[in-house]
Amino acid sequence: MIHVLMIVCGGIAGYKALETVRMLKKLACDVRVIMTPASTEFIAPKSFAVLSGHDVVVSESTSCTTAAISHIELAGWADVCCVVPATANTIAKYAYGIADNIATSALLATTAPVCVAPAMNTHMWQHPATQSNIDILRKRDVCIVGPDAGELACGISGAGKLADPEDIALYTYSLALRPARDLVGEDVLITAGPTREALDPVRCLTNYSTGKMGCALVRAARVRGARVHLIAGPLSCVYPTCDSCDHVICAQEMYEATTRYLSSMTIAVCTAAVADWQPANVEAQKIKKDKRAYYDLSLIKAPDILQYISSQHCGYVAGFAAETTDVIAYAQQKLARKGCNLMIANDVSHAESTFGSDTNKVSYVFADRVEHAPCADLTHVAHDIFTHIVADKSQNAAAAAARACAASPAASVVPVASASVAQPGTPLEKTSHDTIH
């Protein structure tokens, strides 16, 4: 069981921290709460105690359990910490190491990874001091979730709204797995969700994809240090915090959005269930039901996004193959046809790996091998996918370097008295392909 220490700061968004506790409990986490004195003016500690199942620490005089566990002990107990909502005041104190209450003291005392979910007035969020403090925390590998843009309690609209509690909970859970920071410096492009191909103003062709797997990959990539660009069709789940997000509807829009990122991406993971076919003509008005027994529908091929990305050779490309029969054989054919580096296959005819499930069971189909992973929740699967991508990307780079070295003619050595002799480099270590359990 994952131990989560939640720190609640004073702000009107504090009530959403209750929902975050509930979401973490659904993920089978054990949650304990520290509240700043200011936060108790917005919400009663008893509410967190009921939801978490533990007493709440508010000051040194309160105890977390009958054993009187201190905030320092809680800092050591935690596998991960999350600050919800994180005020500008607490962010500034955390950035500069000020420990003037039990919440900030616990943050400085813990060695666990920390997730911070800011919530404040738009102008406070945009102030250079706050942005500088956020940059400091990011450089310390603190995971920043949100804020979102929207209408705020102060009456204005803009950035500063607390991220969705489910997104905060899922980021905290992803961070708690303590993955390697092996995507630092990578620009990861992820497509997610279905596309909708219009028939007329009220009908469309679509599929059952929800986007959950793609969103889990977004969180995993950011936790591992990547800059993440999401291109999302109409999702049926909470949109994750990411560095940039393009909202699209149809396959053509997704194709056009994807091409804008090709020059900067180093890894692309195409999880979106993009339509293979689209109507040849879209009716301007609603198609009326009349006395006809049937309606002829003419379809043309939609843009093949995965094949196009692979053909540009811009970076490492992974695709998904959602199949219902002969899963591995069809995935191998799709890998060869699309020209990508990796095909991730799953059998959507099974409840554990179908669209909308909170779990998945995938197989990794490479040009020279197939590796099978056990069924796991989407967060574990997302991290396992990136573990495989990083390992294969590293092996491909080493193989390419070896081929280039073998192909180049041996350089003639001219003795020069002042020249230093370069030492041979050590070979790259092979990254483990072990599945995360």
Side-chain angles (χ1 to χ4, degrees), residues 87-107:
T87 60
N89 182 48
T90 296
I91 289 171
K93 290 178 179 178
Y94 185 29
Y96 282 92
I98 298 172
D100 62 348
N101 59 45
I102 58 171
T104 51
S105 295
L107 281 172

Side-chain angles (χ1 to χ4, degrees), residues 72-92:
I72 298 299
E73 289 174 292
L74 280 178
W77 168 86
D79 294 316
V80 64
C81 293
C82 62
V83 187
V84 187
T87 60
N89 182 48
T90 296
I91 289 171

Side-chain angles (χ1 to χ4, degrees), residues 32 45 108 150 155 161 197 261 271 276 282 284 300 339 411 426:
R32 293 175 183 263
L108 295 188
K161 182 180 178 181
E197 309 305 320
Y261 291 101
T271 69
D276 294 319
V282 180
I300 59 175
T426 56

Side-chain angles (χ1 to χ4, degrees), residues 372-386:
H372 302 284
C375 181
D377 65 66
L378 296 181
T379 301
H380 280 84
V381 173
H383 281 295
D384 195 38
I385 286 171
F386 279 117

